[in-house]
Amino acid sequence: MLRIGDYEFSSRLLLGTGKYPDFDIQKEAVAVSGTEILTFSVRRMNIFEASQPNFLENLDIAKYTLLPNTAGAKTAEEAVRTAKLAKASGLCDMIKVEVIGCQKTLLPDPIETLKASEELLKEGFTVLPYTSDDVLLARRLEELGCHAIMPGASPIGSGQGIINPLNLSFIIEQTSVPVIIDAGIGTPSDAAIAMEMGASGVLLNTAVSGAKDPVKMAKAMRLSIEAGRLGFEAGRIPKKRYATASSPVEGMSIS
């Protein structure tokens, strides 16, 4: 089970809801992914205007836990304001804190992320900050009381996969709250590697919504995350410098 604060989930895949070709494909992809958590940008929603188009209207959102995010925020103040707006609408008290510090790379601003997370924790939110792959920053966020840490594998939407596995492994080793790999996942094998490393979950969007066949990719991601987790729990064999025979030969008499 994936436990985030007071929430429990069977699926370890967190799925974004943006950029699908159409609502029907989005609905089918979400269904086959097996996800229980849907994330979306609060700024994309007309929260208080029911007559406006709603990109979640084709989904039975009662089946899912919604994870609003503060995408578009450039300061802690903007992120906190966006989070409060989402909570006031009754969507969920979980929030993915996303404060972008560089518009070219869309990498997070660590200082503003810390400030926003601290303020939202005081307000009683379940806080999941999107961070860089910096182990010290991850530890500071955990010390604040964040309920999960979400380091990026590589820049958002880049599909580059895990570019710094060493740093991610440090975060996974030194953090006691769930570590959910967020951003940059491009293929099912990227997701499987993240899970084999011991990540608690994977959040992705473009890898599915931008695929040639989003529905098939959603299924592939679900299976790869399940396989990666099983592999982590089973424990890999140690790497050796030289070959070892797979079939035992000792104790056998050969005439």
Side-chain angles (χ1 to χ4, degrees):
M1 298 291 288
L2 171 60
R3 293 182 175 82
I4 303 174
D6 293 331
Y7 296 88
E8 288 188 351
F9 306 97
S10 297
S11 172
R12 295 177 180 273
L13 170 59
L14 291 71
L15 192 62
T17 54
K19 301 193 294 186
Y20 285 87
D22 59 53
F23 286 158
D24 288 337
I25 291 177
Q26 178 199 53
K27 182 179 181 179
E28 191 174 357
V30 168
V32 302
S33 76
T35 187
E36 296 169 276
I37 305 175
L38 295 177
T39 185
F40 60 90
S41 169
V42 175
R43 294 189 177 212
R44 291 179 58 213
M45 293 196 71
N46 298 296
I47 293 176
F48 297 111
E49 184 54 67
S51 63
Q52 296 300 308
N54 182 347
F55 63 94
L56 296 177
E57 64 187 4
N58 209 38
L59 302 173
D60 181 3
I61 58 175
K63 294 181 178 177
Y64 305 99
T65 296
L66 299 181
L67 175 60
N69 66 60
T70 64
K74 299 176 184 175
T75 66
E77 183 180 2
E78 290 178 1
V80 170
R81 186 165 58 244
T82 302
K84 288 182 177 179
L85 188 63
K87 191 173 185 178
S89 70
L91 291 174
C92 186
D93 71 344
M94 276 206 310
I95 189 76
K96 175 188 168 187
V97 176
E98 186 172 322
V99 185
I100 298 302
C102 173
Q103 292 306 308
K104 186 174 183 178
T105 63
L106 297 182
L107 292 174
D109 182 323
I111 306 302
E112 295 299 308
T113 299
L114 278 168
K115 288 180 181 176
S117 297
E118 184 171 24
E119 181 62 29
L120 290 170
L121 287 165
K122 290 177 183 176
E123 296 281 344
F125 282 84
T126 298
V127 177
L128 296 76
Y130 164 59
T131 75
S132 59
D133 57 7
D134 185 314
V135 66
L136 296 180
L137 176 60
R139 284 165 46 184
R140 286 289 304 277
L141 288 164
E142 182 182 5
E143 289 166 3
L144 281 180
C146 291
H147 300 82
I149 307 296
M150 305 183 76
S154 51
I156 292 174
S158 69
Q160 295 184 41
I162 299 172
I163 58 175
N164 198 334
L166 183 62
N167 274 18
L168 287 182
S169 70
F170 289 155
I171 293 174
I172 291 169
E173 289 172 7
Q174 298 187 31
T175 307
S176 58
V177 295
V179 175
I180 299 168
I181 306 303
D182 180 10
I185 296 295
T187 66
S189 60
D190 295 335
I193 290 171
M195 297 305 296
E196 287 174 359
M197 290 172 60
S200 301
V202 170
L203 187 152
L204 53 87
N205 186 152
T206 307
V208 169
S209 66
K212 183 179 178 181
D213 186 333
V215 175
K216 192 171 287 184
M217 185 60 81
K219 182 178 181 180
M221 288 296 184
R222 172 172 64 82
L223 295 173
S224 67
I225 288 170
E226 291 174 359
R229 181 65 186 183
L230 285 172
F232 169 73
E233 293 176 348
R236 65 155 295 139
I237 62 171
K239 293 182 179 180
K240 299 176 182 176
R241 184 174 177 83
Y242 298 107
T244 303
S246 298
S247 301
V249 294
E250 295 178 0
M252 298 179 64
S253 59
I254 301 175
S255 57

